[in-house]
Amino acid sequence: MAGPGTPVVFIHGLWLHATSWTPWADHFRGAGYAPVAPGWPHEPETVELARANPDAVADIGIDDATEHFASIVAGLERPPVLIGHSFGGLITEKLLGQGIGLAGVAIDPAQIKGVLPLPLAQLRAGLPALGNPANLHRAVSLTEKEFRFGFGNALTDEESAELYRRWTIPSPARPLFQAAAANFVLHSQAAVDTHRADRGPLLLISGTADHTVPDVVTRSTFKQYRDSTAVTELKQFEGRGHSLTIDGGWREVADAVLAWLREQGI
């Protein structure tokens, strides 16, 4: 159960552990919110345990994760703010489109159905999982070099290596396959209700140097909401990569989210 204040549910994406949200949770708690940062279904409690037991999260899909976080929200006393990064951002969008949550912030959100741009950098960033069809049912880990390209490309070698050591875990490859095939599947799990008018406000955030979810993809996602009268806004962070929630500049992003929530009266 959430404590005093508006609940905030942080939802991480692939290859990062739930504890990577700890600085954000502390920051939001200091701002008067009641944060929780649960893991994905079956995710071990620590980075070390997750690395030791990769099969625990194998074969988990987008809907599995979405239903998991919906059940967590249902157990809270009040509707929460949902803040997700990467595939956590896509899940945030799905939940908000289902009328779940007070507001949503999707940071570098994974590609939803209807988004067409597929930059070469995004293809390369997804290759560790998508390069082998057998990975569909597996959990996949990134090498330090792969993390450097997909997450830490806007950082020094040293900072990227430290973030890799501290936060990375094996993650299910299935969501990447589902997102990649979304525009060819009638009832794709990567589909989001972008037309809903009675949902809470949504903020999309992108880093202009992101390789994993390039800025053009987030801008295309933003356009998918053009027929909704609900509040939908886009904020771009110049020169920031996919690591913007965990690197040395995370507080700038967190403060921008807090400022936006205040603008929404939340």
Side-chain angles (χ1 to χ4, degrees), residues 3-265:
T6 300
V8 177
V9 177
F10 291 102
I11 306 173
H12 70 83
L14 302 184
W15 295 311
L16 295 179
H17 191 265
T19 52
S20 64
W21 284 117
T22 299
W24 282 69
D26 292 342
H27 195 47
F28 272 66
R29 190 176 295 109
Y33 294 88
V36 293
W40 279 42
H42 314 305
E43 180 181 310
E45 292 184 1
T46 67
V47 170
E48 292 73 22
L49 288 173
R51 290 172 179 168
N53 188 21
D55 291 341
V57 297
D59 214 24
I60 291 169
I62 294 172
D63 279 355
D64 298 323
T66 302
E67 291 166 7
H68 169 73
F69 287 102
S71 69
I72 290 170
V73 170
L76 300 175
E77 293 180 340
R78 298 160 56 188
V81 174
L82 306 169
I83 300 178
H85 173 247
S86 199
F87 268 96
L90 185 153
I91 292 167
T92 293
E93 291 182 72
K94 281 183 69 74
L95 290 171
L96 208 62
Q98 294 169 11
I100 298 172
L102 185 63
V105 179
I107 304 169
D108 296 337
Q111 192 162 337
I112 66 174
K113 182 178 175 66
V115 171
L116 300 180
L118 191 60
L120 288 175
Q122 185 179 17
L123 285 172
R124 180 178 166 187
L127 273 179
L130 298 174
N132 183 354
N135 285 339
L136 174 63
H137 304 291
R138 297 172 176 165
V140 175
S141 299
L142 296 181
T143 66
E144 186 175 326
K145 182 178 180 180
E146 290 165 344
F147 179 86
R148 177 79 166 99
F149 180 83
F151 282 75
N153 59 291
L155 309 176
T156 64
D157 288 341
E158 293 76 15
E159 183 175 9
S160 180
E162 172 60 20
L163 294 175
Y164 175 80
R165 183 197 64 77
R166 187 184 303 172
W167 300 125
T168 58
I169 62 171
S171 290
R174 180 178 284 276
L176 280 163
F177 283 91
Q178 291 172 323
N183 292 323
F184 308 100
V185 176
L186 182 60
H187 300 294
S188 169
Q189 293 188 23
V192 169
D193 184 353
T194 57
H195 302 284
R196 186 169 186 143
D198 63 346
R199 61 163 170 81
L202 172 65
L203 175 64
L204 300 171
I205 291 178
S206 71
T208 62
D210 195 329
H211 283 169
T212 297
V213 184
D215 177 61
V216 65
V217 173
T218 306
R219 285 188 280 115
S220 180
T221 300
F222 178 62
K223 291 177 182 178
Q224 299 301 306
Y225 287 92
R226 59 186 174 271
D227 294 329
S228 172
T229 57
V231 172
T232 310
E233 298 181 10
L234 170 66
K235 183 173 180 58
Q236 296 161 290
F237 283 86
E238 192 68 31
R240 300 295 296 276
H242 205 60
S243 66
L244 82 175
T245 59
I246 58 171
D247 61 36
W250 70 268
R251 189 182 293 269
E252 179 188 7
V253 184
D255 283 341
V257 173
L258 286 169
W260 181 79
L261 289 172
R262 286 193 293 269
E263 290 171 5
Q264 306 307 314

